[in-house]
Amino acid sequence: MTHDMLIALRPLLAAEASAEAHACGAEPDDLEQAVWLRLLELLEADGPPPDPPRWLRRAVRFEAGRIRRTRRIERPYGPEPADDGERGPEQLVLALARRRALRAAVRRLPGRCPRLLEALLSPRDLTYREIAGELGISQGSLGPERSRCLGCLRRLLASEVAAHEGRG
């Protein structure tokens, strides 16, 4: 019975949501989704309503009213973004310190890893083909080599972080 009821209510809900959506400033699909959710919650808790079409009309109007009330309370931000992207001197110093620590850790890696990761971190934004040419390795081995080097870097940084943490 529930599946048949849902199929039967679909056109009525679409029509009611379309009629109410514009007045409350919502998309009809959003309004429909809210009512479907409310109906599923009702079905799970109390079973089907005694008069489903009447319940559906009331639910659409209730949800539209809720959206209208929410829109009255909520205010959009002004024209300026919340974060203008400019960082203060403290953030710049911390970012520089993190980059220096990363570069120092990369230099301590074994084998070809320092050269590979320095090429990947290069501001020149090199392609895999260019990096492979610079290092004298095949382009196909670059991915696995990069993964191995990043694993080494992760382990190195994890051990340094663990060593610097206080005990307590």
Side-chain angles (χ1 to χ4, degrees), residues 11-24 26-29 31-32 60:
L12 177 61
L13 177 56
E16 291 289 327
S18 292
E20 290 288 331
H22 180 69
C24 70
E27 293 292 321
D29 292 340
L31 195 52
E32 280 185 54
V60 168

Side-chain angles (χ1 to χ4, degrees), residues 21 29 36 45 49-50 52-53 59 75 77 93 101 118 129 150:
D29 292 340
W36 281 128
R75 297 284 179 240
Y77 286 115
V93 168
E118 284 295 337
R129 176 179 285 157
L150 289 174

Side-chain angles (χ1 to χ4, degrees), residues 55-73:
W55 179 91
L56 185 124
R57 286 185 193 99
R58 289 178 53 202
V60 168
R61 281 165 189 70
F62 176 82
E63 287 298 326
R66 186 186 59 74
I67 291 171
R68 269 193 298 275
R69 286 187 301 277
T70 302
R71 297 248 166 140
R72 263 187 258 136
I73 294 170

